Amino acid sequence: MKKRINLCMCLLAIATCIVTFVATLTISYQAALARMETETMRQAALVAAGLEHIDALDSDEQKAYMQAIGKSDRSRVTLIEPDGTVIYDSNYDHSQMENHLERQEVQEATNNGTGEASRTSATLGQQTYYVAKLLDNGQILRVSNTTDLVTDDLQRAIAPLLLIIIVVIAFSIWLATYLTNRLVRPINTLKLDNPLENDIYEEISPLLHKIHTQNEELQKQMDKMRHQKVELEAITSNMSEGMVILDKELRILSVNQAAIRLLGAAFQDFAGQSLIALNRDQVLNRRASEAIKGRKTEHRMENQNDRQLQIFCNPVRGDNQVRGCVLLIVDISEKYAAEKSRREFTANVSHELKTPLTSISGYAEMISNGMAQPKDVAGFAEKIHTEAGRLLVLVDDIIKLSQLDEKAPMTVQFEKVDLKKLLESVSLQMKDYAEKKQVKIHVKAEDVIASGVPRMLEEAVQNLCSNAIKYNHVGGNVWLRDTKHGDIVYLEVEDDGIGIAKDDSEHIFERFYRADKSHSKNIEGTGLGLSIVKHIAELHGGSVGVQSYEGKGSVFTMSLPQNASTVDE
Ligand code: ADP
């Protein structure tokens, strides 16, 4: 604006100077021309008066008078006979000059006594003004001046005039710049934060009031937006799900901490960056692009920490247009693992059930179609009975596991459990089995009170104790112990039996895993006992582990938080 005002003022000053210059020249020229014409007339009148006065003189004296006049002035003086013959000219040889009778001024003077004309002189070739006067003796006196006289005067005035104009233009430019600066300075230094505090031209006052109103409106909007942003951040930062808000170009508008963590990116400010900066997964980027086109999409992926993520990409609409999209990232690892283990469990259960059922079906078929010898029937029936027994144990374990699966830690009701009594009770229950296997059970119990479900804890110790007897030698020992360190209580079942190979000990808590296949053939089992123990320990907020040396024996330890009532809350 400043430049424009300055330029306009400068141009105006220059234009004014040029117009003034041209006008001054034109007016001066016109005035000088008029002055020259008047002067010529005056001279003609004077010379005519002189000639008439010396009319009595002879022609030589007349000539001498004419010559004297011609020399004393710049004007040209011509004397013409009534027939048009030029008898004297102050600037030229009159004998060379043509007859002047037809000249306009001569004609006018012959007819009216005085004549004038302005034209290019045939003799001089210059624009000339003529005045002719009829003398009493019939002769015509003509006095003329060329416009050169005028232009010469003007040319002399041009240089100083130009100088003045240049000075005026320079001054005008300086003045224009100074005035523009003065005019614009208050506008440039306007305090727009507090528009009403400005003391400036009253013409700008309505604008300042408008700015003030808009400032207030803007401030309100900003406060509202800031408030909403804080609210949104508070919500999203406490979310365990990741949330990413993208604009139409897939640039990040907002991303919460959970999203950065789940997508495995380094923590930094991602605002304005592309989604690629957050995660390079091509399919995710494609799904987000599809959401921008208005289609809800989903994507499953595994992050660097092997977590299973499910990502929902939803378009965000405004004014019937897709403005961007929101990605909601959910960690479904637990759900995924549970689904996977359920699938495996179903497959394993079917397989495990099939084996005894196939035997039962085979023996029953042989008996029913008479293929079995009467003496073998009792043996076959015994085998059917054994397989059915195995089947019952298996189904029983499966039911127990399913029931445990259904229970969530929060829903379990805990009570105080006297572990010493519990161990003694298990020892008593296992007595017959131990004697049958020729294994001794030793209870080394302290008075420890745990918090839990007595029936479940007993079931777990029974399983461990049963294994300790089952996977033992004749004459072997089993020790049942309880102890407490700090807030943790420990239940230990130790044996000096066959032990577990290192590779197997990592898997024995998995469902249907049986350590040594050669054993499983000889020793009956379902491969579910330790899974049940593990499940029970976890439901109590604890865990189970094993330390074992092949051929030497094993120690199974269940650790449970003593104040397990917290789990109950
Ligand atoms: P099972 O019904 O086969 O006993 P478990 O889940 O109770 O199933 O045990 C899984 C496997 O762990 C067993 O097959 C066995 O090989 C091994 N195992 C468990 N307890 C012991 C132990 N005390 N000594 C040696 N091996 C054991």
Side-chain angles (χ1 to χ4, degrees):
M1 183 180 92
K2 191 175 155 186
K3 260 188 184 170
R4 267 174 97 172
I5 295 177
N6 201 0
L7 189 71
C8 285
M9 286 176 82
C10 289
L11 286 177
L12 188 70
I14 293 170
T16 311
C17 289
I18 290 172
V19 168
T20 310
F21 178 67
V22 173
T24 308
L25 276 185
T26 312
I27 291 166
S28 301
Y29 178 77
Q30 294 299 338
L33 202 64
R35 215 168 35 246
M36 182 268 278
E37 286 173 5
T38 316
E39 191 64 19
T40 308
M41 276 187 188
R42 207 173 56 81
Q43 284 172 342
L46 275 174
V47 175
L51 276 177
E52 274 168 4
H53 181 70
I54 58 168
D55 197 28
L57 302 176
D58 63 24
S59 61
D60 286 342
E61 282 173 325
Q62 259 187 359
K63 257 185 196 159
Y65 170 70
M66 295 283 285
Q67 275 167 356
I69 287 194
K71 278 178 188 164
S72 66
D73 201 80
R74 290 188 300 182
S75 309
R76 177 182 167 198
V77 184
T78 312
L79 195 62
I80 304 159
E81 285 292 349
D83 64 357
T85 311
V86 179
I87 54 169
Y88 175 75
D89 191 282
S90 61
N91 291 19
Y92 289 92
D93 180 3
H94 63 90
S95 58
Q96 302 291 317
M97 291 170 70
E98 59 184 20
N99 189 294
H100 273 41
L101 191 63
E102 294 306 316
R103 297 289 197 274
Q104 188 194 336
E105 69 278 6
V106 176
Q107 284 286 316
E108 282 178 14
T110 309
N111 297 332
N112 308 326
T114 308
E116 62 176 316
S118 189
R119 65 165 181 279
T120 306
S121 159
T123 317
L124 299 172
Q126 290 171 337
Q127 184 67 23
T128 310
Y129 177 68
Y130 300 94
V131 173
K133 275 208 174 283
L134 181 65
L135 301 178
D136 291 342
N137 63 4
Q139 286 179 329
I140 293 154
L141 169 74
R142 191 180 76 170
V143 179
S144 64
N145 277 304
T146 64
T147 49
D148 285 1
L149 289 175
V150 178
T151 47
D152 282 354
D153 287 349
L154 278 181
Q155 269 167 10
R156 272 195 299 278
I158 280 176
L161 214 59
L162 260 179
L163 190 71
I164 291 168
I165 291 291
I166 287 168
V167 170
V168 169
I169 286 177
F171 178 71
S172 302
I173 289 173
W174 173 82
L175 197 66
T177 313
Y178 172 74
L179 287 177
T180 309
N181 283 340
R182 248 189 88 167
L183 200 75
V184 171
R185 194 177 306 124
I187 297 173
N188 279 344
T189 53
L190 269 182
K191 286 179 262 170
L192 289 179
D193 291 340
N194 297 304
L196 298 185
E197 282 181 13
N198 294 292
D199 181 19
I200 196 176
Y201 318 113
E202 63 182 89
E203 288 80 1
I204 295 195
S205 202
L207 178 72
L208 293 176
H209 274 91
K210 184 98 188 152
I211 293 175
H212 176 70
T213 321
Q214 289 195 341
N215 271 2
E216 280 186 341
E217 194 60 34
L218 211 69
Q219 193 59 42
K220 272 188 211 158
Q221 297 278 349
M222 292 281 285
D223 286 347
K224 199 173 159 192
M225 276 169 66
R226 221 172 279 135
H227 188 68
Q228 284 174 344
K229 192 170 176 249
V230 169
E231 259 180 17
L232 186 74
E233 273 175 8
I235 294 168
T236 57
S237 63
N238 287 311
M239 274 168 62
S240 55
E241 291 84 10
M243 194 167 94
V244 186
I245 304 174
L246 302 169
D247 69 5
K248 272 180 91 171
E249 273 76 43
L250 289 187
R251 276 191 305 257
I252 298 167
L253 296 176
S254 165
V255 54
N256 71 351
Q257 304 266 318
I260 297 176
R261 179 174 44 79
L262 289 171
L263 292 176
F267 284 92
Q268 54 165 292
D269 185 10
F270 281 99
Q273 294 195 44
S274 165
L275 176 60
I276 292 276
L278 195 59
N279 192 280
R280 297 196 162 270
D281 189 291
Q282 296 289 321
V283 186
L284 172 63
N285 277 271
R286 258 204 314 277
R287 294 284 175 271
S289 304
E290 283 165 23
I292 297 290
K293 287 174 194 147
R295 207 151 56 80
K296 279 186 180 179
T297 53
E298 266 184 54
H299 174 49
R300 267 198 186 195
M301 61 180 272
E302 196 177 288
N303 73 3
Q304 290 149 325
N305 303 323
D306 302 329
R307 306 293 297 175
Q308 295 293 326
L309 305 179
Q310 182 148 24
I311 304 175
F312 302 91
C313 310
N314 290 321
V316 176
R317 292 174 205 277
D319 301 334
N320 284 333
Q321 265 191 337
V322 179
R323 303 269 176 207
C325 77
V326 175
L327 310 186
L328 191 71
I329 306 156
V330 186
D331 185 347
I332 54 158
S333 303
E334 272 75 36
K335 193 177 146 204
Y336 182 79
E339 270 174 17
K340 195 174 161 209
S341 98
R342 251 197 298 280
R343 275 197 304 274
E344 285 172 5
F345 185 58
T346 314
N348 285 334
V349 165
S350 319
H351 179 75
E352 294 294 327
L353 290 176
K354 208 175 163 189
T355 317
L357 275 175
T358 312
S359 316
I360 291 170
S361 161
Y363 290 126
E365 191 184 4
M366 281 166 76
I367 295 169
S368 70
N369 62 19
M371 278 172 70
Q373 298 295 317
K375 62 177 171 54
D376 296 332
V377 170
F380 283 2
E382 174 60 28
K383 280 189 176 138
I384 288 173
H385 181 248
T386 311
E387 289 300 327
R390 272 186 67 188
L391 211 56
L392 275 175
V393 174
L394 190 65
V395 170
D396 199 35
D397 278 355
I398 291 170
I399 290 170
K400 278 180 201 157
L401 256 181
S402 306
Q403 284 171 346
L404 287 169
D405 272 342
E406 278 167 20
K407 284 194 171 64
M410 304 296 170
T411 62
V412 183
Q413 290 294 319
F414 291 125
E415 52 190 85
K416 288 196 163 58
V417 186
D418 185 336
L419 294 186
K420 190 174 179 183
K421 274 191 189 161
L422 185 139
L423 294 181
E424 282 164 353
S425 158
V426 171
S427 162
L428 205 66
Q429 288 167 38
M430 289 288 148
K431 197 168 161 255
D432 291 348
Y433 183 47
E435 277 171 6
K436 194 176 148 196
K437 290 277 181 179
Q438 296 177 39
V439 173
K440 260 196 176 154
I441 304 177
H442 312 273
V443 178
K444 302 219 161 174
E446 295 174 16
D447 287 322
V448 178
I449 304 293
S451 166
V453 184
R455 193 182 41 76
M456 283 191 190
L457 292 179
E458 196 173 309
E459 167 90 43
V461 179
Q462 259 177 16
N463 279 0
L464 294 174
C465 186
S466 150
N467 281 352
I469 299 166
K470 196 160 53 166
Y471 302 107
N472 216 322
H473 310 289
V474 172
N477 295 286
V478 174
W479 292 272
L480 303 180
R481 278 191 286 265
D482 67 347
T483 163
K484 181 189 156 198
H485 292 295
D487 288 342
I488 309 286
V489 295
Y490 298 93
L491 278 167
E492 264 178 24
V493 178
E494 185 180 349
D495 65 72
D496 51 0
I498 61 172
I500 307 162
K502 199 169 182 322
D503 288 350
D504 289 327
S505 60
E506 290 168 14
H507 300 287
I508 52 173
F509 294 100
E510 291 168 12
R511 293 174 184 194
F512 295 110
Y513 190 86
R514 306 209 62 207
D516 187 337
K517 299 295 167 195
S518 60
H519 285 144
S520 54
K521 276 189 186 158
N522 307 328
I523 307 167
E524 280 188 0
T526 60
L528 293 174
L530 289 181
S531 307
I532 292 171
V533 175
K534 186 179 171 211
H535 227 313
I536 290 173
E538 283 172 355
L539 267 175
H540 282 75
S543 61
V544 60
V546 64
Q547 262 201 324
S548 182
Y549 298 98
E550 216 175 347
K552 290 190 173 167
S554 319
V555 186
F556 283 86
T557 309
M558 269 177 82
S559 32
L560 310 168
Q562 190 182 33
N563 191 14
S565 57
T566 47
V567 181
D568 191 16
E569 281 162 9

